[in-house]
C-alpha cells in the first residue's frame, strides 16, 4: 500500500460535492489520476488541475434535439473519471438514434463541470453522431459518453476537439458493438491545456467492424492524449486504426492504443498505426501501441513512427516557387489528411479537411 | 543570360569537415543557347545545379552567379524560381498526398504573385496543361496522381519536363535527365526539351553521356572535372569525350 496522496484544493472541492461512499473513499485515497499511474503517465491530470480554480460550474450541452429520456445510469462505470461524471454530472441524457439521423452534441465547459450522455443505435439503423468539445478559460469538463451500436447498425461518429489553451477536458467514451455492427469514428483534435480523449470499444458480438481514425495538430502549450482500448470478445471482428498528428514546438501529443483479442475472438483482423510529425525542435509526442492476443488464428499488426518534414521535398517545392511556409503547410496537410480521407461521409469529410487546413494556416 | 564566375563552394560533410567541391567554375550561357556540361561522376555537376537553385548545405567560398543580371546566390530558392530558375532534378522527389496538377498550379501562381503578375485562371491553366501533357504523352490520370509518387524513372523525368513547360523558366537546368531512360523515353524527353528551346531561355544540360546530346544539339559543350570547367568547345567536344573519355581532363586536374 502506498501512502494516501495529498489532495489539492481542486480535488477537495470535488470531494466535498460527493456523497459518502466508495467513490469518495477512492478519491480521498488516490486523488485524481496523475503521472505515476501507468495509464496516465503522460497526462498528469492531478497536477494540471491543481492550478485550476476550484469553482463549480457545468458542462453546457447544446444538442440538435431533446433527449429521448433522462435517466439514472443503469450500470456504474469502473474507472474514476466516468464514475465522477456519473456521480456529479446529473442524470444521463439518453438518445436513441433514428435511421438517417444526425445528432449533434456540442459540449462547452464552464468552470468545473461533469456530464454523462448515452447514445443507442438500434438494430439495423444507420446514423451519425457529431460531437464537438470546447471550453471557456479555466474550465475543466469531465464527460462520459456511452454508445451502444446494436446488431447490424451503422454509426458514423465524428469528434471535433477545438483548441482550448486555457481549459482541461477529459472525455471517456465506451462503445459496445453488437454482431455485424459497424462504427466509423474520426477525431480531429487541436488540444487543450490538458485534453484526454479516452475510448473503450468492445466487439461483443461476431463480425463487428470498427474503423477508428484521427488527426491532431498541437501548437505551443497544447496537449492532447488519445488513449484507446479495443477489446475483441467475439470472432470475425475487424479493427482498423490510423492516427496521425503534427506537433509544433511546445506542444505535446500522446497516443496510447491497445488492442486486446480474447481467446474466443478467432479470425480477428486488427490493425493499428500511429504516425507523428515533429514540426520543430521542442515538440513532443509519446506513444505506446500495444497488442494483447490470446486467440491463435488472427491477423494483427501495429506500427508507430515519428518523423520530421522531408527536407528534400521542401526544397523541391520551393525550387518550383512555393514559399517555405506554404510548402510546409502543404506537406503537413497532406500528411494529416490521410485518416480523415478514410471517411465515407463526403460532407463531413470535406468539412473536417477544411477545418484542418484552416488550423494549419493559423498555427 | 546565366553568368557563373569563379564559383567556389564547400559542402558540409557528416564528419563536420567542409570539403571543397567547386573550385572556381566559370561559364556563360546566353539566352537562346543550349549548353552541355559533361563530366565524370562525382566531379560536382549536381552540386553546381543545387547551388544555382539554392539548396541548403553549401558554403560559397568565392565567385558568384547571376541570371539576367540578378544575383542568384543571395536569394531564397523560391525567389530564384520566380526569377526564372528551374532545376529538373536528377532524382525527382516524391510528395505523397499532393496531386501533380494542384502542385504545379500552386507553384505557377506563387511565382506569378512574386513577380507581381495576375494568377492564371483555372481554364487557362487547364488548357496549357493539356497541351504540355500531350507533347510528352502524359495522361490525365498521371497528372492527378501525387507528385512523382509511383512513377517509373522515365515517367518522373517526363513530369519534370512537363513542369518546366508549365513554368516557362528563363534558365532550365537539366541534371542527368537522360539517366535511367530507355531509348524511346529518351526521345520523348528530348522532344519535350527541344520544345523548350526559346530565344528567351538559357539551358544547362548536365550529363555524362553523349546520348541525349544527339537529340538536343547543344550550342556549346563544357567539360567539367575536379570542380572546374576544364574545356569549352562546340558539339565536336562531346564526340571527342565519347571516343576518348575524361582521362585527359581528370589527369590534368590531378
Ligand atoms: N552532402 C554532401 N556531403 C558530402 N559530400 C558530398 C555531398 N554532396 C556531394 N558530395 C560530394 O561532392 C562530390 C560531387 O558530387 P556531385 O555534385 O553529386 O557530383 P556529380 O553530380 O558530378 O556526379 C562527390 O565527391 C560527392 O561525394
Ligand atoms: Mg549528379
Amino acid at each position: 500500500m502506498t501512502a494516501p496522496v495529498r489532495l489539492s484544493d481542486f480535488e477537495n472541492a470535488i470531494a466535498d460535492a460527493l456523497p459518502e461512499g466508495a467513490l469518495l473513499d477512492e478519491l480521498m485515497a488516490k486523488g485524481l489520476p496523475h503521472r505515476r499511474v501507468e495509464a496516465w503517465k503522460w497526462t498528469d491530470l492531478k497536477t494540471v488541475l491543481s492550478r485550476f480554480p476550484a469553482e463549480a460550474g457545468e458542462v453546457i450541452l447544446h444538442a440538435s434535439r431533446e433527449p429521448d429520456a433522462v435517466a439514472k445510469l443503469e450500470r456504474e462505470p469502473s474507472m474514476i473519471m466516468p464514475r465522477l461524471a456519473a456521480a456529479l454530472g446529473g442524470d444521463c441524457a439518453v438518445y436513441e438514434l433514428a435511421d438517417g439521423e444526425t445528432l449533434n452534441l456540442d459540449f462547452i465547459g464552464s468552470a468545473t463541470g461533469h456530464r454523462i450522455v448515452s447514445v443507442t443505435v438500434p438494430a439495423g439503423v444507420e446514423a451519425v453522431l457529431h460531437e464537438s468539445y470546447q471550453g471557456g478559460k479555466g474550465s475543466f469538463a469531465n464527460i462520459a459518453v456511452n454508445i451502444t451500436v446494436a446488431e447490424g447498425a451503422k454509426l458514423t461518429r465524428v469528434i471535433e476537439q477545438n483548441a482550448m489553451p486555457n481549459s482541461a477536458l477529459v472525455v471517456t467514451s465506451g462503445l459496445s458493438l453488437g454482431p455485424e455492427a459497424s462504427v466509423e469514428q474520426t477525431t480531429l483534435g487541436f488540444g487543450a491545456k490538458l485534453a484526454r480523449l479516452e475510448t473503450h470499444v468492445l466487439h461483443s458480438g461476431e463480425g463487428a467492424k470498427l474503423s477508428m481514425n484521427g488527426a491532431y495538430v498541437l501548437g505551443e502549450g497544447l496537449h492532447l492524449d488519445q488513449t484507446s482500448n479495443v477489446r475483441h470478445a467475439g470472432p470475425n471482428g475487424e479493427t482498423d486504426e490510423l492516427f496521425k498528428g503534427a506537433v509544433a514546438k511546445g506542444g505535446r501529443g500522446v497516443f496510447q492504443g491497445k488492442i486486446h483479442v480474447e481467446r474466443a475472438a478467432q479470425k480477428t483482423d486488427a490493425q493499428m498505426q500511429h504516425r507523428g510529425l515533429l514540426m520543430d525542435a521542442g515538440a513532443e509526442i509519446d506513444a505506446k501501441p500495444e497488442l494483447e492476443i490470446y486467440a491463435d488464428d488472427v491477423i494483427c499488426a501495429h506500427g508507430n513512427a515519428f518523423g520530421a518534414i522531408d527536407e528534400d521535398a521542401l526544397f523541391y517545392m520551393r525550387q518550383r516557387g512555393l514559399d517555405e511556409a506554404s510548402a510546409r503547410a502543404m506537406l503537413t496537410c497532406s500528411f494529416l489528411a490521410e485518416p480523415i480521407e478514410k471517411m465515407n461521409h463526403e460532407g463531413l469529410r470535406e468539412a473536417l479537411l477544411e477545418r484542418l487546413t484552416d488550423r494549419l494556416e493559423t498555427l | 543570360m546565366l553568368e557563373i564566375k569563379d564559383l567556389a563552394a564547400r559542402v558540409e560533410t557528416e564528419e563536420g569537415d567542409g570539403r571543397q567541391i567547386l573550385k572556381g567554375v566559370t561559364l556563360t550561357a546566353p539566352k537562346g543557347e543550349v549548353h552541355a556540361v559533361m563530366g565524370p561522376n562525382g566531379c560536382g555537376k549536381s552540386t553546381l545545379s543545387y547551388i544555382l537553385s539554392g539548396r541548403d548545405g553549401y558554403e560559397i567560398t568565392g565567385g558568384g552567379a547571376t541570371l539576367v543580371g540578378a544575383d542568384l546566390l543571395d536569394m531564397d530558392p523560391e525567389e530564384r524560381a520566380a526569377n526564372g530558375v528551374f532545376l529538373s532534378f536528377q532524382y525527382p522527389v516524391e510528395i505523397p498526398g499532393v496531386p501533380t496538377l494542384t502542385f504545379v498550379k500552386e507553384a505557377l501562381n506563387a511565382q506569378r504573385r512574386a513577380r507581381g503578375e495576375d494568377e492564371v485562371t483555372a481554364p487557362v491553366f487547364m488548357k496549357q496543361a493539356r497541351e504540355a501533357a500531350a507533347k510528352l504523352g502524359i495522361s490525365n490520370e498521371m497528372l492527378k496522381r501525387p507528385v512523382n509518387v509511383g512513377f517509373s524513372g522515365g515517367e518522373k523525368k517526363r513530369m519534370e519536363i512537363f513542369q518546366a513547360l508549365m513554368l516557362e523558366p528563363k534558365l532550365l537546368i537539366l541534371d542527368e535527365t537522360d539517366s535511367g531512360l530507355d531509348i524511346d523515353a529518351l526521345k520523348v524527353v528530348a522532344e519535350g526539351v527541344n520544345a523548350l528551346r526559346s530565344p528567351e531561355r538559357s539551358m544547362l544540360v548536365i550529363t555524362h553521356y553523349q546520348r541525349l546530346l544527339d537529340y538536343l544539339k547543344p550550342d556549346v559543350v563544357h567539360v567539367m572535372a575536379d570542380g572546374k570547367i576544364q574545356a569549352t568547345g562546340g558539339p565536336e567536344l562531346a564526340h571527342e569525350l565519347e571516343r576518348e573519355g575524361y582521362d585527359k581532363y581528370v589527369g590534368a586536374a590531378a
Side-chain angles (χ1 to χ4, degrees):
Chain A
M1 280 300 286
T2 50
V5 295
R6 256 185 71 130
L7 298 196
S8 65
D9 291 349
F10 190 94
E11 289 165 309
N12 279 318
I14 293 180
D16 288 345
L18 283 174
E20 295 285 325
L23 181 56
L24 177 61
D25 295 345
E26 183 174 339
L27 182 68
M28 295 302 287
K30 296 186 182 160
L32 289 170
H34 51 79
R35 65 190 161 80
R36 285 188 303 280
V37 175
E38 177 65 18
W40 291 78
K41 63 180 169 186
W42 291 311
T43 300
D44 197 342
L45 185 66
K46 178 183 169 75
T47 305
V48 169
L49 289 181
S50 71
R51 297 183 207 112
F52 272 54
E55 183 194 335
E58 61 170 333
V59 177
I60 300 160
L61 170 59
H62 291 299
S64 54
R65 68 167 171 88
E66 293 298 313
D68 297 298
V70 176
K72 280 254 167 287
L73 212 59
E74 287 167 24
R75 206 161 35 91
E76 215 203 327
S78 58
M79 290 159 305
I80 183 146
M81 296 315 293
R83 276 169 81 192
L84 287 171
L88 300 170
D91 286 342
C92 177
V94 180
Y95 298 89
E96 187 173 299
L97 302 188
D99 199 30
E101 177 179 359
T102 295
L103 175 66
N104 293 307
L105 299 178
D106 297 336
F107 296 90
I108 303 158
S110 98
T112 298
H114 306 261
R115 265 277 175 181
I116 179 155
V117 301
S118 153
V119 176
T120 306
V121 192
V125 161
E126 240 184 277
V128 176
L129 172 62
H130 188 170
E131 295 150 51
S132 87
Y133 296 93
Q134 50 204 309
K137 198 170 158 61
S139 67
F140 167 54
N142 177 38
I143 299 161
V145 181
N146 291 328
I147 299 173
T148 307
V149 186
E151 180 161 3
K154 246 177 130 168
L155 176 68
T156 298
R157 183 185 187 204
V158 175
I159 300 161
E160 291 187 49
Q161 188 270 316
N162 296 279
M164 17 199 255
N166 303 305
S167 345
L169 172 73
V170 173
V171 180
T172 312
S173 318
L175 286 90
S176 171
L177 277 56
E180 308 295 331
S182 131
V183 171
E184 185 198 89
Q185 171 174 311
T186 311
T187 303
L188 181 60
F190 299 148
K193 177 85 193 151
L194 177 148
R196 168 135 158 157
L197 303 177
E198 180 172 330
T199 310
H200 296 257
V201 183
L202 174 66
H203 287 257
S204 57
E206 183 165 351
K209 272 199 179 115
L210 169 70
S211 170
M212 184 162 73
N213 308 299
Y216 58 92
V217 180
L218 305 175
E220 171 122 46
L222 290 159
H223 162 280
L224 175 61
D225 170 338
Q226 298 196 77
T227 291
S228 62
N229 191 333
V230 176
R231 179 176 285 263
H232 283 263
N236 292 308
E238 281 176 32
T239 291
D240 192 7
E241 295 183 40
L242 176 64
F243 286 84
K244 282 185 151 190
V247 179
K249 176 169 166 260
R252 186 176 192 194
V254 176
F255 174 83
Q256 303 187 105
K258 183 167 181 177
I259 297 178
H260 183 115
V261 182
E262 292 184 5
R263 191 193 296 273
Q266 296 294 359
K267 307 271 184 208
T268 290
D269 181 340
Q271 313 286 329
M272 170 170 61
Q273 296 291 330
H274 173 251
R275 299 267 178 280
L277 177 68
L278 299 156
M279 298 168 86
D280 318 289
E284 181 172 342
I285 303 180
D286 300 296
K288 184 179 170 194
E290 284 177 279
L291 293 178
E292 212 176 299
I293 302 169
Y294 298 99
D296 46 23
D297 185 14
V298 298
I299 306 170
C300 291
H302 69 79
N304 178 46
F306 302 114
I309 284 274
D310 179 351
E311 291 294 327
D312 287 339
L314 197 60
F315 173 63
Y316 183 88
M317 296 170 89
R318 296 177 73 188
Q319 201 301 302
R320 297 297 142 91
L322 291 168
D323 65 76
E324 187 178 351
S326 307
R328 273 186 196 279
M330 213 185 239
L331 287 171
T332 309
C333 194
S334 71
F335 171 78
L336 293 175
E338 193 185 352
I340 296 172
E341 275 166 354
K342 286 173 163 261
M343 291 173 73
N344 282 311
H345 192 301
E346 193 184 339
L348 288 167
R349 183 177 65 226
E350 295 308 313
L352 284 195
L353 286 172
E354 202 176 313
R355 298 220 37 213
L356 173 64
T357 317
D358 289 350
R359 180 67 187 126
L360 286 170
E361 270 166 17
T362 56
L363 196 67
Chain B
M1 166 148 90
L2 169 71
E3 281 190 282
I4 307 171
K5 202 157 184 313
D6 297 325
L7 185 61
R10 294 150 65 89
V11 61
E12 293 303 325
T13 59
E14 275 170 19
E15 297 79 45
D17 49 340
R19 213 184 113 196
Q20 198 76 32
I21 308 290
L22 301 187
K23 301 175 181 170
V25 173
T26 298
L27 177 167
T28 300
K31 62 182 183 179
E33 291 190 6
V34 174
H35 285 224
V37 177
M38 302 183 74
N41 260 326
C43 73
K45 303 183 299 295
S46 290
T47 303
L48 175 63
S49 68
Y50 286 143
I51 287 174
L52 291 175
S53 53
R55 188 185 171 123
D56 277 347
Y58 306 97
E59 184 199 343
I60 311 295
T61 54
T66 59
L67 181 62
V68 205
D71 185 352
L72 285 179
L73 303 184
D74 275 349
M75 298 181 209
D76 283 336
E78 53 269 36
E79 275 180 272
R80 299 184 202 205
N83 272 277
V85 176
F86 184 104
L87 167 62
S88 167
F89 284 61
Q90 180 169 3
Y91 304 105
V93 182
E94 298 188 2
I95 308 175
V98 181
T100 307
L101 263 193
T102 311
F103 174 68
V104 177
K105 185 154 176 274
E106 294 282 330
L108 177 60
N109 281 331
Q111 288 197 18
R112 295 182 66 98
R113 281 194 305 272
R115 292 193 293 260
E117 299 165 7
D118 288 339
E119 295 190 6
V120 285
T121 61
V124 170
F125 176 82
M126 284 312 298
K127 181 164 178 285
Q128 219 179 320
R130 266 196 301 273
E131 287 169 7
K135 279 191 189 131
L136 294 159
I138 291 172
S139 69
N140 245 335
E141 184 272 328
M142 283 168 78
L143 292 177
K144 287 184 186 143
R145 298 222 298 254
V147 179
N148 293 321
V149 177
F151 290 125
S152 69
E155 286 171 334
K156 284 181 184 168
K157 299 298 172 81
R158 256 149 72 194
M159 292 308 252
E160 292 289 275
I161 304 308
F162 168 77
Q163 293 188 40
L165 282 163
M166 296 301 292
L167 296 172
E168 302 181 304
K170 285 190 198 136
L171 168 65
L172 175 60
I173 307 168
L174 302 172
D175 188 4
E176 309 251 0
T177 294
D178 48 346
S179 67
L181 298 191
D182 62 30
I183 195 71
D184 294 328
L186 185 72
K187 277 187 193 160
V188 174
V189 165
E191 274 169 35
V193 175
N194 277 326
L196 275 155
R197 267 184 180 260
S198 142
E200 294 307 314
R201 182 170 293 136
S202 306
M203 281 198 213
L204 222 49
V205 181
I206 294 171
T207 180
H208 59 256
Y209 300 112
Q210 165 63 32
R211 253 179 14 147
L212 179 65
L213 302 182
D214 288 340
Y215 297 98
L216 293 189
K217 311 244 180 307
D219 300 295
V220 177
V221 174
H222 305 274
V223 183
M224 186 169 175
D226 191 32
K228 264 188 181 160
I229 303 297
Q230 305 284 351
T232 294
E236 72 288 347
L237 192 49
H239 291 286
E240 183 205 298
L241 290 170
E242 183 83 344
R243 282 194 315 271
E244 297 170 18
Y246 295 106
D247 288 358
K248 132 176 165 197
Y249 300 103
V250 174

